[in-house]
Amino acid sequence: MNRARMDAALKTARDMVAAERELAADVDELDHTRKSADLAAFVMQDVVDVFADALSSTSKKTKGSKTRTGRR
């Protein structure tokens, strides 16, 4: 193998390693983003549950009380 072909093969190998490292970094970033989205979804579901419980509690309290006109 001549020197030019060896240099080209070495450059190709280095480019492949660099691309692999970049891909690994992208995968790590996507994994972090997925975990953040999972956490945000968990927190939002908790907020929805709290509001649903509050509405349910309020609804139960107002069903038994009369309005100003005396109707239920």
Side-chain angles (χ1 to χ4, degrees):
M1 208 179 219
N2 67 19
R3 177 74 180 177
R5 290 177 74 190
M6 288 177 55
D7 287 344
L10 183 59
K11 182 182 180 328
T12 300
R14 286 182 178 152
D15 289 347
M16 290 173 67
V17 169
E20 185 178 337
R21 287 182 181 148
E22 187 175 325
L23 180 61
D26 289 346
V27 168
D28 287 344
E29 185 177 343
L30 286 172
D31 188 52
H32 176 73
T33 301
R34 181 193 55 81
K35 288 177 182 175
S36 296
D38 286 347
L39 179 60
F42 175 79
V43 169
M44 288 305 298
Q45 184 60 53
D46 194 44
V47 169
V48 168
D49 291 344
V50 167
F51 276 110
D53 290 345
L55 287 173
S56 176
S57 176
T58 302
S59 176
K60 288 176 185 175
K61 288 179 184 176
T62 58
K63 280 187 179 180
S65 64
K66 293 182 179 180
T67 62
R68 287 185 181 188
T69 60
R71 290 185 254 155
R72 285 185 178 230

